Amino acid sequence: PFDDIRVRKALTFLLNRELMIEKLFYNEYVPMNSYSAGSIYENPSNPKNVYNPEEALKLLAEAGWKDRDPQGRLTKDGKPLEIEMLYDSKQSETYLTVYQDDLRKVGINLNLRLVTFETQFKLVGERQFDVAELGWGAAPFPDPEAEFHSRLADVNNTDNVTGFKNPKIDEICEKYARTFDQKERVALMRELDSVMTNRYHYILRWYGPSQRIAYWNKLAQPPGGLTRIGQYYGDLNLGAGIERLW
């Protein structure tokens, strides 16, 4: 079913991010609507994807998921719409069970499968999954080719874990690799961001719009953590944590 963009888009509309952020995270996070959220590379025109079960059901019906079995599950050609989600931390159940319940209400079975980090890493690398819940680390500067280029789509154990293929993305990646003009790089990444978000092969979750820095100054501490040079996010941070749901 995930080959149909309408199904992927519907699953995005069924993740109630606003409710989770308010009730579970004390409004300390904001919805993520970009693959480079909170940075100069974010495209402000990206879709916002607010919770909308009515629109989700409409999209699913267009994709052929409109009949119901005796249990009330959505079916197509007599088969129910069932999804298995891999996750590796029981803490994630706080919000995954909310998503599971919202899917159940519209007739989709979400089976949560708790595995070890090592098992999840292996299964995701080999693309042996329906959906996987992960926090993915981002490099200080974007490297789109390693994550989205088509040449990696059929190769196991790469960062292109969804097997994404798109000629426009390939073109942008190749242009990006050849230019060192920062303004052009920003423009290319924003264009890439628009294509990626509108293809719905990730469900973007949320991110913290700030950096938390804590230290013990018993011995010594640099006068500042965010510098003019070096890493984009500062010398005290190894990378930006971004939260995606696949």
Side-chain angles (χ1 to χ4, degrees):
F2 305 111
D3 289 341
D4 194 317
I5 190 173
R6 293 169 295 189
V7 174
R8 302 196 302 269
K9 192 172 182 179
L11 292 174
T12 299
F13 285 157
L14 290 168
L15 182 69
N16 196 341
R17 300 184 297 176
E18 293 77 13
L19 176 70
M20 295 178 189
I21 290 170
E22 177 188 357
K23 300 297 185 182
L24 301 177
F25 306 127
Y26 308 100
N27 289 316
E28 291 190 0
Y29 298 93
V30 295
M32 174 178 283
N33 301 308
S34 164
Y35 287 77
S36 299
S39 79
I40 58 175
Y41 304 106
E42 178 172 359
N43 191 319
S45 300
N46 288 345
K48 302 305 182 276
N49 299 321
V50 297
Y51 177 65
N52 191 335
E54 293 79 13
E55 182 63 22
L57 282 171
K58 179 181 175 183
L59 288 165
L60 290 167
E62 290 174 1
W65 299 95
K66 54 187 176 181
D67 296 325
R68 302 267 179 179
D69 66 9
Q71 287 77 44
R73 298 176 297 181
L74 288 171
T75 63
K76 180 179 180 180
D77 300 327
K79 296 181 180 179
L81 182 52
E82 292 190 301
I83 304 167
E84 181 183 83
M85 178 184 288
L86 298 178
Y87 68 106
D88 64 6
S89 171
K90 284 191 70 64
Q91 291 181 329
S92 300
E93 293 175 1
T94 305
Y95 50 86
L96 291 183
T97 52
V98 176
Y99 189 46
Q100 182 184 47
D101 192 49
D102 283 337
L103 291 181
R104 179 190 57 78
K105 289 175 183 176
V106 300
I108 301 172
N109 272 13
L110 177 64
N111 301 313
L112 299 176
R113 180 183 173 190
L114 178 63
V115 295
T116 64
F117 170 80
E118 293 80 8
T119 298
Q120 170 137 297
F121 193 85
K122 180 177 185 295
L123 292 174
V124 169
E126 296 173 353
R127 301 192 179 92
Q128 300 297 316
F129 66 97
D130 291 340
V131 180
E133 186 265 347
L134 285 175
W136 203 244
F141 289 97
D143 183 12
E145 184 173 351
E147 198 164 354
F148 305 126
H149 200 283
S150 297
R151 67 180 177 81
L152 301 174
D154 298 314
V155 181
N156 285 346
N157 299 307
T158 69
D159 284 344
N160 188 347
V161 293
T162 61
F164 185 72
K165 296 179 182 179
N166 185 286
K168 184 62 178 178
I169 293 294
D170 294 346
E171 178 186 335
I172 294 172
C173 288
E174 288 153 15
K175 286 182 180 178
Y176 182 86
R178 292 195 301 267
T179 182
F180 294 94
D181 182 272
Q182 180 61 5
K183 289 184 178 179
E184 186 178 355
R185 285 192 146 208
V186 170
L188 286 168
M189 286 304 301
R190 288 182 176 179
E191 184 180 7
L192 179 143
D193 197 34
S194 176
V195 175
M196 297 297 297
T197 54
N198 282 284
R199 293 307 300 166
Y200 290 94
H201 69 120
Y202 282 74
I203 301 176
L204 301 173
R205 296 187 298 190
W206 42 77
Y207 75 102
S210 60
Q211 292 289 327
R212 297 186 178 97
I213 300 175
Y215 60 88
W216 183 25
N217 63 350
K218 181 178 180 180
L219 299 176
Q221 180 70 18
L226 305 176
T227 63
R228 292 189 302 108
I229 59 176
Q231 292 195 31
Y232 181 73
Y233 287 93
D235 290 339
L236 298 183
N237 189 19
L238 298 179
I242 57 177
E243 299 295 324
R244 300 176 184 166
L245 187 67
W246 301 333

